[in-house]
Structure formats: C-alpha cells, structure tokens
Amino acid sequence: MAAVSLAPARVRIFARVRPDDGGSDGEPLRFGERSITHAGREYAFDRVFAPGDDTAAVYRAACEPLVARAADGFAGAMFAYGQTGSGKTHTIFGDDHAPGLARLAAQALFDLVRQRPQCEFAFKMALMEIVDEKAVDLLNARAPVLFRTAIVPAEQPAIAQPHAHAPAAPARQLTYHGLSERAVTSERDVVASLEEGLAARTVGANYKHARSSRSHVVLRLTAEAAHRLARGAAGVAHPIADDGRTAELGALPPVDASLGPLVTVGSFTLVDLAGSESASANALGGAAAAQGAGINRSLLFLRQAVRALGATAGANAGVGAGAGANAGVSGADAVSYTHLRAH
C-alpha cells in the first residue's frame, strides 16, 4: 500500500501480511515493525502490519491523517498494490463483518460534521474503473471517462470559490471528463453507492482465481467546508478551531471577514489496483492473458510515477536528489504522475 499526501515525506509505503502468507514460493516470511525478510533479502517499509492487525489498525496509521487533512482542503490518496489474491480489495472495501478503508474513511468524514459545528460540510463521491486502458463511471451506467491535462498558471487559484484557500495548483492539472460526482449525506449513502458501483466492476477468471478483479477502481471522497470566521483587529478574521478557539486550521492564513466564510475543498482517494500477474501465466495466451499483460503494464507505469514523485519529494525536503518536477516521467507515465502529484 502507498499513501500519498502533501506532507514533507510525501510518499509512505506500508505492507500488510496475510494471515496465511508464508511466501508465494513456500519460503517463510520474517517481519518486524518496519521490515520484511524473504529468501535472505530484507525489504524496508514505513510500517508493517502483522496478520493479527485488523483493517482498523491499517486505517489509523495509513489513512486517518489523510482524511483529517481532506477536511482542511488538502488532497491525499491511498493505493493498494500487490499480487492477485493478496487481499487488496478486502482491505479497501471490506465486507459486512470487517469494514474496509473506504467505509472507515466515510465514517470519519461524517463524524466531522458533529465534531466541527463551526463548519458547514458538503460531501461528494465518485467511483471510476480503469480496464483495458479505458476509464468508465461506475455510478453512471459505465459511461466513458476521458482524461485531460492542462497547464494551470501558478497564480490561478486551485479552487474557484468566492473566497477560498488551497495549496498552489500544479503546473499540470488532470481533469476527468464525464466522471459524475454524487452528493452523499451519510455513511449509509456511501455504502449504498459503493455496492451499486462495485456490482458493475469488471471481474473474470485468471490463472489463480475463478473470479478476480480485472480492473483498477478509484474511489474519490470530496469534502467541501465553509469555515465560520472570528473577526479580529482591523477586520482581519481567523478560522475557528475545533474547540472554539481562534487558531490556525490546516495552516490557513488570516482572512478578511468581509469576504464571507472561508471555503476549502479537499479530497481523499482510494485506489484498488488490479493484481499483478506472473509473466508465465500471461504467456499461456488468450483474452485473459492479454488483459493481464495490460494490467502489468499499467502497474509498471504507476511504479515509475511513484518513484519520480518520491524523488521530487526527497529533493523538496532536502533528502536525496531529484532531477526536477518530472524526474523519470515520460510518455505513458505522464497521466499517472500528474494524478499522483495532484494528491
């Protein structure tokens, strides 16, 4: 799993070990809090979740900070990556007995309505599938979705509101033409919409399972908040914090109260990636093998985009070296990189 945010450590990598995971080749796994050792090789992570850790523990460590930031007008994303059958969809969407990250994030967002009476919230969700290198809207009868990128001037605000604050817009902005957003007013609305959309997801047989996800699914939860302001000296206003005191909110600056409430728009995105598949299985031929090869190709693009984003973050934080904003990104990687950089 990879978490992407606007924090100085922009990309964090987590690993979750399945209860029955002894290594795909029979070699035992040894794991600690931040590392996994397999076949004599050690892999480092920001956090390793043991078989006994439930999805709620994953949420608290990996998602909770991003969801809180979304309510303050920032964007964050969590990707679930791994081999087919490794438990990605279970972690993201869960079931009636074990809620997934999506439901836990929805619970947290709607809890904010009660925790922040000084704010007026409006929530929306979108659900998109990417399959065979095409995107469709799962909440609108699989209508096609087109990706477009545009150059945004640095001085242009990222949110077109009468009075709004957001991080500076990236040089390249990615938009999704044809992707609908559905207003949701409760966790129940989110769950019902997820059930509706996921029922239309592309599934099929592969070399390992009779019924396996054959697509990437992107869930975006958007939080628009109108923050009530406290007037200070000379008409300068400050956002009111959760406990009612005048304080900084997500590092937002003081504003002129005569302009009305401070409006922020943030988002939290969850991506359930299709599972990577072995080259030997894809070599068997057939439509499923061709689809599997396409999945692997898209995951390669994503890996290169995340690597470039990590290099850029390291350079911005003074750690390591990066070769500019688009280090290592070209051609087909550009859309993946632009999406990640926006989060």
Side-chain angles (χ1 to χ4, degrees), residues 48 93 96 137 168 184 186 245 279:
V48 173
F93 297 115
D96 292 338
D137 186 344
V184 287
S186 66
R245 295 180 294 107

Side-chain angles (χ1 to χ4, degrees), residues 239-262:
I240 299 177
D242 296 350
D243 58 4
R245 295 180 294 107
T246 300
E248 291 185 3
L249 182 62
L252 301 177
V255 295
D256 186 342
S258 65
L259 297 175
L262 179 70

Side-chain angles (χ1 to χ4, degrees), residues 126-129 135-145 178-181:
L127 194 64
M128 175 174 63
E129 177 184 58
V136 297
D137 186 344
L138 291 178
L139 296 181
N140 187 25
R142 298 184 62 85
V145 177
L179 181 62
S180 63
E181 284 192 300

Side-chain angles (χ1 to χ4, degrees), residues 17-49:
V17 182
R18 282 176 55 109
D20 58 350
D21 201 340
S24 59
D25 55 3
E27 288 282 343
L29 296 178
R30 292 189 294 108
F31 51 88
E33 186 177 345
R34 293 178 178 270
S35 67
I36 293 177
T37 302
H38 175 251
R41 184 172 180 180
E42 185 178 37
Y43 301 87
F45 299 90
D46 289 281
R47 169 79 182 271
V48 173
F49 298 98

Side-chain angles (χ1 to χ4, degrees), residues 163 229-232 234-238 254-261:
H163 180 76
L229 304 175
R231 185 181 297 276
V236 174
H238 299 260
V255 295
D256 186 342
S258 65
L259 297 175

Side-chain angles (χ1 to χ4, degrees), residues 85-316:
S86 59
K88 300 178 300 299
T89 299
H90 174 75
T91 297
I92 296 291
F93 297 115
D95 54 38
D96 292 338
H97 305 290
L101 299 179
R103 185 164 185 172
L104 294 172
Q107 288 176 355
L109 284 174
F110 288 106
D111 281 345
L112 291 174
V113 176
R114 294 181 289 274
Q115 297 170 6
R116 297 188 179 182
Q118 77 282 2
C119 296
E120 292 185 8
F121 282 101
F123 300 103
K124 296 179 181 179
M125 66 175 287
L127 194 64
M128 175 174 63
E129 177 184 58
I130 302 173
V131 59
D132 295 332
E133 301 185 3
K134 298 177 182 178
V136 297
D137 186 344
L138 291 178
L139 296 181
N140 187 25
R142 298 184 62 85
V145 177
L146 301 178
F147 296 161
R148 293 288 184 267
T149 58
I151 303 299
V152 180
E155 67 274 12
Q156 178 177 327
I159 304 173
Q161 297 288 343
H163 180 76
H165 173 82
R172 292 170 64 91
Q173 185 173 15
L174 182 65
T175 59
Y176 309 93
H177 289 267
L179 181 62
S180 63
E181 284 192 300
R182 179 176 294 184
V184 287
T185 59
S186 66
E187 175 195 343
R188 182 177 299 179
D189 284 352
V190 174
V191 171
S193 294
L194 281 176
E195 291 176 350
E196 173 191 339
L198 293 178
R201 183 179 188 178
T202 301
V203 296
N206 64 6
Y207 72 99
K208 197 169 184 178
H209 298 283
R211 184 177 175 83
S212 177
S213 301
R214 308 298 291 165
S215 65
H216 310 307
V217 168
V218 180
L219 166 66
R220 184 176 65 196
L221 298 171
T222 301
E224 179 177 321
H227 303 271
R228 186 163 52 88
L229 304 175
R231 185 181 297 276
V236 174
H238 299 260
I240 299 177
D242 296 350
D243 58 4
R245 295 180 294 107
T246 300
E248 291 185 3
L249 182 62
L252 301 177
V255 295
D256 186 342
S258 65
L259 297 175
L262 179 70
V263 178
T264 61
V265 179
S267 65
F268 176 62
T269 302
L270 282 165
V271 184
D272 179 19
L273 296 167
S276 58
E277 299 187 357
S278 68
S280 59
N282 288 334
L284 297 177
Q291 195 173 58
I295 290 170
N296 287 347
R297 186 165 55 251
S298 66
L299 294 175
L300 174 62
F301 293 155
L302 176 64
R303 184 180 70 179
Q304 294 170 342
V306 169
R307 181 178 297 166
L309 187 65
T312 302
N316 290 341

